[in-house]
Amino acid sequence: MTALAKARTGSAGLDLVLRFRALGLVVALAVLVGVTTALNPRFLSAQSVRDLLFAAAVTLLLACGMTVVVLTRGIDLSVGSVLGLSAYVTGSALSATGMGTPLALLLGLAVGAACGALNGAVIHFGRVPPLVATLGMLYVLRGVVYFIAGGSRINASDLPRGFLDFGSGHVLGVPYLFAVSVLVLAAVAVFLGRYRAGRDLYALGSNPEAARLAGVPAGRRLMTAYVLSGALAGLGGVLYAARFGTVDASAGYGMELDVVAAVVVGGVAIFGGSGTALGAGLGALLLTVIDNALPVLRIDQFWQQAIVGALILAAIALDRLVSVRAARALRTKGSHVD
């Protein structure tokens, strides 16, 4: 075999690995679950699996919204604070009026969408970098939650029984909360893959200037991304309140870092323009399994954080490798993009 043939074979193998990144996450999940179960068979019991799905539901939901934003070369660091505000506002409304669960879900969506619209407006009209704008909003909204809460908290006894049953209920062993998150994941995946507005987000992230010259309404698409991220964070606040039953001003504190980690590990390029909602969902599930498996394996908490950090660095390195190979391919004579 000539050197050129070997190079082409290696290139084809690498391309195959890069294209089936989601499969790699599934394999990693399977290996981790298999090893943990071999050492502790109770890890894969029905109740343990149900607890894992409960734990993954909110992170998965927020990861879907974060994916849409990161695809545009943006980021939303305010999702944890939006979740906290939505959880407290929704919990307060439920305890005061006894509204039904569907109305609570709509209220959470509305609160989150309003916060997302504010983020989008500051970034688009104010020309403020997304990192700075959403970091500022993180602190502003957290301060608002502390002001509204005033040191008090909402207890499970204050919430309607039907709402709490929704938070703890399941169908065929699958928690309602996880089912809601999966439905949202499917909807976001279809939006990104089948609708022009979703494809435009990829174009904005790949080359903002070229996308604008091609007629992509950049402002509207950017607003759509942040409103969607905020709305899903707001919905996550309702699920959080339903799951835990107790809500205070610290709800969702620091959660934005877990969500960003899930998205990056799931293969959504932090530089924008590449990634899928499915990958982000698998990333959220993988990090949740790591969080639950390491204590079972009697591994120190420090190593959990180190492993997650290593996964993030590996994902970013892989994204960089993909970018370099794509640029090299475009420079090669006769290469073209289908």
Side-chain angles (χ1 to χ4, degrees), residues 96-194:
T97 65
M99 68 171 66
T101 300
L103 284 178
L105 294 173
L106 290 176
L107 177 59
L109 282 168
V111 171
C115 295
L118 187 56
N119 272 331
V122 170
I123 293 167
H124 175 55
F125 297 108
R127 304 296 180 186
V128 178
L131 178 66
V132 176
T134 59
L135 181 62
M137 197 62 66
L138 179 157
Y139 289 109
V140 169
L141 295 179
R142 185 60 63 182
V144 170
V145 178
Y146 276 107
F147 176 77
I148 294 174
S152 63
R153 69 176 186 179
I154 299 167
N155 298 308
S157 57
D158 302 323
L159 300 175
R161 185 72 255 170
F163 182 70
L164 297 176
D165 289 342
F166 169 73
S168 60
H170 56 87
V171 54
L172 300 176
V174 179
Y176 293 141
L177 304 188
F178 188 76
V180 170
S181 296
V182 170
L183 288 174
V184 169
L185 171 65
V188 172
V190 170
F191 168 71
L192 292 175
R194 300 293 182 86

Side-chain angles (χ1 to χ4, degrees), residues 51-68 76 79-80 83 177-182 184-185 188 229 232-241 243-244 252-266 268 276-292 304 308:
D51 290 340
L52 277 173
L53 298 182
F54 269 121
V58 176
T59 304
L60 191 156
L61 185 66
L62 268 62
C64 291
M66 185 69 75
T67 297
V68 176
D76 188 355
V79 290
L83 182 148
L177 304 188
F178 188 76
V180 170
S181 296
V182 170
V184 169
L185 171 65
V188 172
S229 177
L232 293 184
L235 180 59
V238 181
L239 300 192
Y240 180 98
R243 179 191 172 200
F244 294 105
Y253 186 84
M255 196 170 184
E256 56 279 344
L257 298 181
D258 295 332
V259 176
V260 172
V263 168
V264 174
V265 169
V268 181
T276 63
L278 174 61
L282 288 173
L285 195 56
L286 177 61
L287 295 187
T288 302
V289 172
I290 290 174
D291 187 33
N292 286 268
Q304 173 191 328
V308 172

